[in-house]
Amino acid sequence: FPSHDRGADKFTQPLIDLMDASGVHDRIIGWDVKWVESREFDKPLVDSLITMIVKTSQRSRPHQNHVVVLSHDYHYRTEESLDGLAYFIKRLQKKYAATFKWAEDFPS
């Protein structure tokens, strides 16, 4: 999609322009915060991620009511890493009434 109103950074904009010129109209979703890279559950690390999400949600940006967290499924290979994800989700839901959706459901 055309990105003139999307605020793409200087590295992403050339890719979007190339996609537009070649007729590719796939959605590109940028992320606001990247998931912590730890194979084991690290409560302070997850808590710092939650703090970053809260700070991000308070900044002015497109889709103000949404924070996109980049997270790859390979991060959840162990029981401990799954515990970290469960802690992350439960804490955000309980403390901040957060909801979670798939990227496909993100507003255009």
Side-chain angles (χ1 to χ4, degrees):
F1 57 83
S3 63
H4 56 352
D5 62 339
R6 302 290 195 247
D9 65 27
K10 67 180 181 179
F11 300 106
T12 306
Q13 191 60 54
L15 174 61
I16 293 170
D17 293 342
L18 180 63
M19 289 174 69
D20 286 344
S22 64
V24 175
H25 298 290
D26 291 335
R27 281 180 73 187
I28 296 175
I29 299 175
W31 65 87
D32 299 299
V33 179
K34 186 176 178 183
W35 177 255
V36 292
E37 304 221 8
S38 176
R39 294 206 184 272
E40 299 191 13
F41 175 43
D42 182 343
K43 185 176 184 254
L45 199 56
V46 175
D47 285 339
S48 70
L49 176 63
I50 291 170
T51 300
M52 286 191 319
I53 290 170
V54 171
K55 286 181 182 177
T56 299
S57 72
Q58 295 168 344
R59 289 194 319 253
S60 176
R61 62 197 200 295
H63 302 295
Q64 185 67 36
N65 295 324
H66 301 87
V67 175
V68 176
V69 179
L70 173 65
S71 180
H72 299 288
D73 58 354
Y74 65 80
H75 289 302
Y76 312 110
R77 294 182 188 168
T78 67
E79 201 63 38
E80 292 86 7
S81 62
L82 288 172
D83 289 343
L85 178 61
Y87 170 81
F88 169 76
I89 291 170
K90 288 176 186 174
R91 175 136 171 131
L92 279 172
Q93 287 175 327
K94 184 176 181 179
K95 189 168 183 178
Y96 300 102
T99 58
F100 294 82
K101 296 187 179 187
W102 295 105
E104 293 85 11
D105 299 328
F106 191 75
S108 334

